[in-house]
Amino acid sequence: MRSVDEQLARVLSAAVRPAPVRVAISEAQGLLCAEEVVAERALPGFDQAAVDGYAVRSVDVQAAAESPVALPVVGEIPAGSRQPRRLQPGQAVRVVTGAPLPTLADAVVPLDYTDDNPAKVTVRQPVPSAAFVRRTGEDVQTGDVAVRRGAPIGAAQVGLLAAVGRNKVLVHPRPRVSLISVGEELVDVDRTPGQGQVYDVNSYALAAAARDAGAEVTRVGIVSSDPRRLREVVEGRLLLSEIVVIAGGAGGSAGEEVRRSLADLGVLDVTRVAMHPGSVQGFGRLGPDQVPTFVLPGNPVSALVVFEVLVRPLIRAALGKHNPHRRTVTASLLSPVTSVKGRRGFLRAQLLRDPDNGSYLVQPLGTSGSHLLASLAEANCLLLVEDDVMEVAVGEDVRVSFLSQRA
């Protein structure tokens, strides 16, 4: 039986990052920048008022430290003004936040420091040079790197790209993942199952998991296990995907049929991995482009756990993430658990905070039965039990892997 770590190493060695593409900045969120974005203009691009007030020469209001200074107001500059203005000594110009400063002005007196008289303003408090002014290039200078290659693009990076005038950016795109369900017993959710039939859970659940991991997803849905039909569908998806996931047909006679159907596309290594649930699974690189292809158990809980442990890290690695794994923490166990000897357990659980000291607590959910989907839906973490451990008592520390998006 192959260890989880060995299987994961095989999977991650197949990670291929798609070639960078240029996209609109509105579509870049969540991706990694694939270029050094150099600012072609300064930010701010001109000296501007940081508050509503009066643009002045700071030297003209220094005497306000002793007694109020009155200055004639010779105009007003709104935000967005393109009309150049020049300030003469001993004058003031009314400005609003973001307005360009007139020539010779080196400070802004906030309204709170004045009587806000529109004709002749009285300044009651002095301001130093550059006070309440956003200087040209204070944020970004021309030639500065605004967003670095490899940086995750979030809201702030999108805003900065817009601020330096970039409407497109080169990014590492989301890997394309195709999800296929195999099984003669399956029907889609818009139909009523007959005797012996069940809904196709896997293609929906795994598609959601792949999107959560950051992939661009195609949910192919149910495909007949007829060898010719299955081969046609998989071969077509290999041309359009960076990762293909087949749910169902990992073990038994169904597994043999799947392997035979795809044999001329490459080698699918179906083996037992020392984990539960989801021990029997397959992985290989198929087609002329050697596309990583998974065969997962048909059981939805097992399929989702194997996806979480093995497929999700591959998607994250293909996105270019330096650490493709979920965050893990140590938590104190609230109920005893048992595990299968010789297999690493991935048990559904709820991660909690101790209200007294803020430490992590973990509550196992239900039994370890691989068919219990409802408990997985309630879980916000997987409780990890190592291969050589069969029982863990209340109060013992265990490793916990987050399932929530914040991880």
Side-chain angles (χ1 to χ4, degrees):
M1 194 177 293
R2 186 176 297 154
S3 73
V4 174
D5 293 338
E6 183 182 354
Q7 183 75 346
L8 182 58
R10 287 175 178 241
V11 167
L12 290 179
S13 68
V16 177
R17 185 185 296 182
V21 296
R22 195 167 297 280
V23 300
I25 60 172
S26 59
E27 299 173 3
Q29 187 173 359
L31 302 176
L32 293 184
C33 188
E35 63 173 320
E36 298 278 288
V37 179
V38 177
E40 297 180 357
R41 63 188 67 187
L43 180 64
F46 52 89
D47 289 351
Q48 58 183 252
V51 296
D52 290 358
Y54 292 86
V56 299
R57 297 193 319 154
S58 59
V59 69
D60 290 336
V61 297
Q62 292 311 300
E66 305 296 332
S67 61
V69 173
L71 300 174
V73 180
V74 295
E76 182 174 353
I77 303 178
S81 173
R82 301 175 65 184
Q83 185 68 35
R85 297 292 296 269
R86 183 178 180 87
L87 187 72
Q88 297 299 325
Q91 295 180 339
V93 173
R94 182 76 148 78
V95 290
V96 299
T97 303
L101 260 61
T103 304
L104 295 187
D106 68 334
V108 174
V109 180
L111 294 181
D112 291 348
Y113 293 9
T114 76
D115 65 354
D116 196 20
N117 187 307
K120 193 170 188 176
V121 65
T122 298
V123 179
R124 296 188 293 262
Q125 186 173 329
V127 292
S129 180
F132 304 103
V133 174
R134 299 169 183 160
R135 288 295 190 189
T136 302
E138 182 179 292
D139 197 355
V140 178
Q141 294 278 352
T142 302
D144 282 354
V145 176
V147 180
R148 297 196 175 278
R149 182 184 290 110
I153 298 178
Q157 288 73 30
V158 170
L160 186 54
L161 289 166
V164 299
R166 289 289 296 268
N167 65 345
K168 293 188 175 182
V169 63
L170 195 67
V171 296
H172 296 289
R174 304 180 190 282
R176 298 167 298 173
V177 176
S178 292
L179 278 304
I180 299 170
S181 284
V182 176
E184 299 305 323
E185 76 281 12
L186 301 176
V187 295
D188 209 345
V189 294
D190 59 355
R191 294 178 53 194
T192 302
Q195 182 67 30
Q197 293 183 315
V198 296
Y199 287 124
D200 168 28
V201 173
N202 281 327
S203 70
Y204 287 96
L206 295 174
R211 289 190 196 96
D212 180 66
E216 178 186 320
V217 178
T218 298
R219 190 189 68 83
V220 179
I222 304 167
V223 175
S224 168
S225 56
D226 173 74
R228 178 183 294 180
R229 175 60 182 155
L230 179 59
R231 186 192 183 285
E232 286 177 353
V233 172
V234 172
E235 187 173 28
R237 297 316 308 173
L238 291 173
L239 299 175
L240 301 171
S241 310
E242 276 73 50
I243 300 171
V244 172
V245 179
I246 303 168
S253 58
E256 289 294 333
E257 289 181 10
V258 169
R259 289 196 292 279
R260 282 198 300 268
S261 300
L262 306 179
D264 59 348
L265 297 177
V267 177
L268 268 176
D269 177 29
V270 177
T271 187
R272 283 189 175 274
V273 176
M275 64 181 290
H276 76 93
S279 174
V280 180
Q281 54 187 264
F283 176 72
R285 302 180 70 173
L286 305 186
D289 295 326
Q290 296 287 284
V291 175
T293 302
F294 294 85
V295 180
L296 306 188
N299 177 276
V301 171
S302 298
L304 278 167
V305 170
V306 174
F307 187 99
E308 175 69 23
V309 175
L310 296 169
V311 187
R312 188 180 195 279
L314 181 61
I315 293 173
R316 304 295 285 175
L319 278 166
K321 302 294 184 181
H322 297 300
N323 180 6
H325 305 291
R326 294 274 200 182
R327 184 163 70 96
T328 61
V329 297
T330 299
S332 179
L333 194 61
L334 292 176
S335 297
V337 295
T338 59
S339 189
V340 179
K341 184 179 180 180
R343 301 188 192 182
R344 186 176 299 173
F346 296 88
L347 311 182
R348 289 141 280 181
Q350 273 278 349
L351 189 64
L352 310 167
R353 283 281 196 178
D354 188 320
D356 295 327
N357 58 27
S359 63
Y360 284 111
L361 306 171
V362 62
Q363 174 63 57
L365 295 176
T367 70
S368 61
S370 62
H371 62 291
L372 301 176
L373 186 61
S375 60
L376 184 58
E378 294 179 9
N380 64 2
C381 67
L382 291 178
L383 190 164
L384 311 182
V385 182
E386 294 304 324
D387 313 43
D388 57 348
V389 177
M390 295 180 62
E391 297 182 359
V392 188
V394 173
E396 289 192 42
D397 286 343
V398 292
R399 275 197 312 136
V400 171
S401 174
F402 285 85
L403 287 177
S404 59
Q405 291 186 10
R406 68 185 176 192

